[in-house]
Amino acid sequence: MERTLSIIKPDGVAKNVIGDVIRRFETKGIKIAAMKMLQLTKTQAQGFYAVHKERPFFNSLTDFMTSGPIVVMVLEGEDVIAENRELMGATNFKDAKEGTIRKDYATDIEKNVVHGSDAPETAAFEIKYFFNDLEIQKR
Ligand code: GDP
């Protein structure tokens, strides 16, 4: 069993697609082990995206991520990091495959509806960033 962090970004929440994103996970047999809705502060967004702090889009990305509420989830399943990335589609929605979340809902390379951890180490960091042990269901 593997875990990953999923975020429905402010644009996804604003577009009323929380339910559709979760339905895609559940349809694939992915379990939701933790979930909450919150609005990030600028400092919290900067901490979450610290790996991108030298990127030209860092300021814009962290502004966007604080612009409204987000839904944060711990997903659980076999190979769930890769499976979630597959369901999400490419970072740039223009390159995303048909039927992926970003292809269906993203409007912009930055406003791309969902986040998903890209490796076991980032998943561990990102899950800890939002959830403590007591908030994650054990099965
Ligand atoms: P991800 O793992 O697919 O989310 O992609 P990255 O880790 O490379 O980038 C993190 C997030 O930064 C992306 O999901 C986008 O929201 C944003 N982003 C990535 N590339 C760009 C870019 O070239 N311009 C802008 N404005 N935002 C970007």
Side-chain angles (χ1 to χ4, degrees):
M1 267 312 150
E2 194 175 63
R3 283 178 179 165
T4 192
L5 187 86
S6 167
I7 303 179
I8 303 175
K9 297 184 180 186
D11 59 328
V13 173
K15 284 181 176 137
N16 272 6
V17 297
I18 296 171
D20 185 63
V21 171
I22 292 174
R23 182 190 58 76
R24 291 172 192 230
F25 296 152
E26 292 191 315
T27 300
K28 285 286 181 184
I30 294 170
K31 297 288 182 194
I32 296 167
M35 174 159 66
K36 59 187 162 193
M37 183 180 247
L38 56 95
Q39 186 158 359
L40 289 170
T41 65
K42 181 80 172 173
T43 307
Q44 288 167 339
Q46 288 167 333
F48 182 73
Y49 279 117
V51 290
H52 292 313
K53 65 175 184 294
E54 307 304 336
R55 300 283 196 83
F57 56 82
F58 183 66
N59 191 46
S60 168
L61 173 62
T62 51
D63 271 352
F64 162 57
M65 288 301 289
T66 61
S67 66
I70 60 174
V71 174
V72 192
M73 286 171 275
V74 176
L75 306 182
E76 202 168 68
E78 206 174 306
D79 219 11
V80 73
I81 296 174
E83 191 170 14
N84 180 40
R85 299 282 309 185
E86 192 68 32
L87 289 170
M88 287 163 57
T91 307
N92 188 343
F93 71 103
K94 290 179 181 162
D95 303 326
K97 285 189 209 150
E98 289 298 329
T100 60
I101 296 167
R102 284 167 166 172
K103 182 73 176 186
D104 288 347
Y105 297 123
T107 50
D108 183 300
I109 187 165
E110 181 175 273
K111 295 172 184 62
N112 58 6
V113 189
V114 278
H115 167 86
S117 313
D118 62 2
E121 308 73 51
T122 44
F125 167 81
E126 292 178 356
I127 289 169
K128 263 213 176 84
Y129 201 80
F130 288 103
F131 296 98
N132 67 41
D133 271 356
L134 290 173
E135 293 172 312
I136 303 173
Q137 303 310 307
K138 318 280 181 295
R139 283 169 219 270

